[in-house]
Structures are given as C-alpha cells and as structure tokens.
Amino acid sequence: MKQRLSMLTLGVRDLARARRFYEDGLGWHHDAGQDDIAMYQCGGMVFSLYEWPKLAEDAGVSAEGSGFRGFTLAYNC
C-alpha cells in the first residue's frame, strides 16, 4: 500500500466563512462540491470542507460528543 492520503475533510460550522478564508485569504480554487461541501485539489489529494453536523452524521457519531474532532481522513485504492 502506498503511504498517502486521498482526502482530508474538515468539518466546519460556517461553510461560507471557511470558503472565504481558503479562497479569498489563501487564493485556493474551488474545484468541486455542492451547497454543503467544497473541494480543493491539493497536489495528489483532495482537501474538503463539509458542514460539521453532516460530517458527524456521515461518520456515524454525535456532532456534540467529546470524541468527534471534526475531520476525517480517506485512502482511496
């Protein structure tokens, strides 16, 4: 198995504000996504911003729980 990440997803409380930071502040280009997610190509991986509650639901955990830190890592093979 290659040592790499395919995707890093960061859960955010305010997607519009987070997009402004990455796009206006850092100059990143929004490559894909819909109203509730934004995806950016970062070399050989994808960095995405996703609404915090939806990311928790996708992970099958409570968004309010102390164990959820608001990010996921993926390796696609």
Side-chain angles (χ1 to χ4, degrees):
M1 179 171 97
K2 287 187 174 184
Q3 293 177 221
R4 67 174 184 176
L5 287 175
S6 301
M7 179 179 275
L8 167 65
T9 303
L10 182 63
V12 296
R13 299 279 183 196
D14 186 338
L15 183 61
R17 182 177 177 202
R19 284 190 61 184
R20 282 192 305 274
F21 172 78
Y22 287 97
E23 295 171 19
D24 299 339
L26 298 180
W28 289 17
H29 300 283
H30 177 243
D31 295 311
Q34 298 174 352
D35 292 339
D36 60 354
I37 190 167
M39 296 179 177
Y40 306 87
Q41 275 294 342
C42 293
M45 69 173 248
V46 174
F47 174 77
S48 60
L49 302 169
Y50 196 34
E51 294 177 350
W52 182 286
K54 292 182 181 182
L55 184 61
E57 180 181 341
D58 189 52
V61 298
S62 169
E64 303 307 320
S66 62
F68 182 61
R69 297 294 182 233
F71 72 94
T72 60
L73 305 173
Y75 174 75
N76 297 337
C77 42

